[in-house]
Amino acid sequence: MPGTSRTYTFLGPEGTFTEAALLQVPGALQAVRVPASNVNAALEKVRDGAADAAMVPIENSVEGGVTATLDAIATGQELRIIREVLVPISFVLVAPPGTRTEGIRRVSTHGHAWAQCRLWMDKNIPDAEYVPGSSTAAAALGLLEEGCPYDAAICAPLVASEHAGLSVLAEDVGDNPGAVTRFILVSRPGVLPARTGADKTTVVVPLPEDRPGALMEILDQFASRGVNLSRIESRPTGQYLGHYFFSIDAEGHAGEARVADALAGLHRISPGTRFLGSYPRADKQETEVPAYTSDAAFSAAQSWVDSILAAECFAGESGSGASPTA
């Protein structure tokens, strides 16, 4: 939108790791940024046109997939992933000034953050009760409200530094110093990001039927074409017990012959397959493509088949007028 400020939404409030991810997007600092209370709300702002794109978490190196995001983009009006961002994660324990660690009985944070700090909590505040929060920042800001039902929160260092009413009781409370969360920027369907040689393609594939070998058929669409998978997770569709879809990240771009052929294969066996986008990898790691699955190999193979069909067609036409022998 030339000459028009873009509007982004993100899992809020301000100061979340999600906003930190958004600020890595070129131009986001100057754009309009609207926090959303949850992932569904952020994606709905994109679907109804209130925002151009939404930044939401999708995967954590400790806990795996963020189920709220996996479920929200698998259904409803189609959306496209156009970028991914990786953010190193560190946590601090905050509380109102004057709070002592031994006086903490209830601690709030986002579920994924709690999972990454459980060992620290068990060692240092073993009797503390966990209170789920919609985000780490929301949990921390809740401490500033009158009558807050918990005593402390686990959040990003940025939140604590920006609010004088929060005191840092402990730093680096995470159990995994190298923890990283992957975020995705989601927009309405449009032009695919160009191929870079270091790309990912994300799809959602419903299990066509619950029978032996059904998942193998899905995986074979990738394996037989030399397409490596970097993530695969199953999620219930919610229709009935035992009915699942698979959320899959594949290495490569839909513009590559091998990936396009795999997508076509998926659609043949599971017509409900949903394409969620091809976009550059955040780590810029180029995909190694075996020679036999390169675009040139696919093109050569198709040319070979075309030549066979053309020759057979020509032979049939040449012989069509010949009289049958006695």
Side-chain angles (χ1 to χ4, degrees):
M1 296 187 301
T4 304
S5 176
R6 292 182 65 81
T7 298
Y8 294 104
T9 185
F10 61 95
L11 178 60
E14 295 178 354
T16 58
F17 291 110
T18 313
E19 185 180 28
L22 177 58
L23 291 175
Q24 292 189 37
V25 176
L29 182 62
Q30 295 77 33
V32 177
R33 301 189 302 281
V34 181
S37 58
N38 56 63
V39 169
N40 275 307
L43 296 183
E44 283 308 309
K45 287 181 184 295
V46 177
R47 288 183 169 122
D48 64 21
D52 297 294
M55 184 68 78
V56 292
I58 191 171
E59 184 181 12
N60 179 266
S61 61
V62 177
E63 282 293 287
V66 178
T67 56
T69 300
L70 296 178
D71 294 346
I73 61 176
T75 58
Q77 183 181 330
E78 285 199 16
L79 295 169
R80 292 286 185 269
I81 302 171
I82 57 176
R83 176 187 291 267
E84 69 172 10
V85 176
L86 302 179
V87 177
I89 304 298
S90 63
F91 299 102
V92 294
L93 179 70
V94 299
T99 302
R100 297 176 62 85
T101 304
E102 54 268 25
I104 294 175
R105 296 290 177 266
R106 310 184 82 203
V107 178
S108 181
T109 192
H110 187 271
H112 271 241
W114 181 257
Q116 295 177 68
C117 301
R118 279 182 296 206
L119 295 180
W120 189 95
M121 290 296 300
D122 288 344
K123 179 180 179 180
N124 294 275
I125 317 177
D127 297 327
E129 176 187 350
Y130 167 53
V131 179
S134 60
S135 71
T136 56
L141 296 181
L143 292 168
L144 304 177
E145 299 176 1
E146 186 175 351
C148 180
Y150 47 89
D151 311 302
I154 294 172
C155 66
L158 177 63
V159 179
S161 67
E162 290 183 344
H163 297 277
L166 298 174
S167 177
V168 176
L169 302 185
E171 298 180 335
D172 296 322
V173 299
D175 303 326
N176 297 271
V180 174
T181 294
R182 174 178 164 232
F183 298 84
I184 52 173
L185 188 65
V186 181
S187 71
R188 293 180 294 280
V191 178
L192 283 181
R195 290 171 57 175
T196 67
D199 305 292
K200 272 183 188 172
T201 292
T202 300
V203 291
V204 169
V205 187
L207 193 65
E209 55 181 308
D210 187 11
R211 58 175 174 76
L215 175 58
M216 184 62 70
E217 286 185 1
I218 292 174
L219 298 178
D220 188 55
Q221 303 308 310
F222 298 103
S224 62
R225 296 164 176 87
V227 179
N228 189 47
L229 305 184
S230 58
R231 182 185 61 85
I232 178 169
E233 298 184 61
S234 63
R235 292 292 302 151
T237 63
Q239 295 178 2
Y240 52 84
L241 191 64
H243 198 248
Y244 288 85
F245 68 80
F246 293 91
S247 178
I248 300 171
D249 288 338
E251 295 181 356
H253 191 284
E256 298 175 54
R258 66 195 182 94
V259 178
D261 206 48
L263 293 176
L266 287 173
H267 192 270
R268 284 197 301 272
I269 65 174
S270 182
T273 294
R274 172 172 290 203
F275 174 72
L276 289 179
S278 290
Y279 48 93
R281 293 175 58 137
D283 60 11
K284 296 181 171 58
Q285 183 176 331
E286 293 192 8
T287 302
E288 294 185 10
V289 181
Y292 70 91
T293 62
S294 66
D295 283 4
F298 269 86
S299 179
Q302 186 61 54
S303 296
W304 177 69
V305 172
D306 291 344
S307 69
I308 292 173
L309 296 177
E312 293 295 325
C313 180
F314 178 75
E317 291 177 352
S318 297
S320 61
S323 298
T325 58

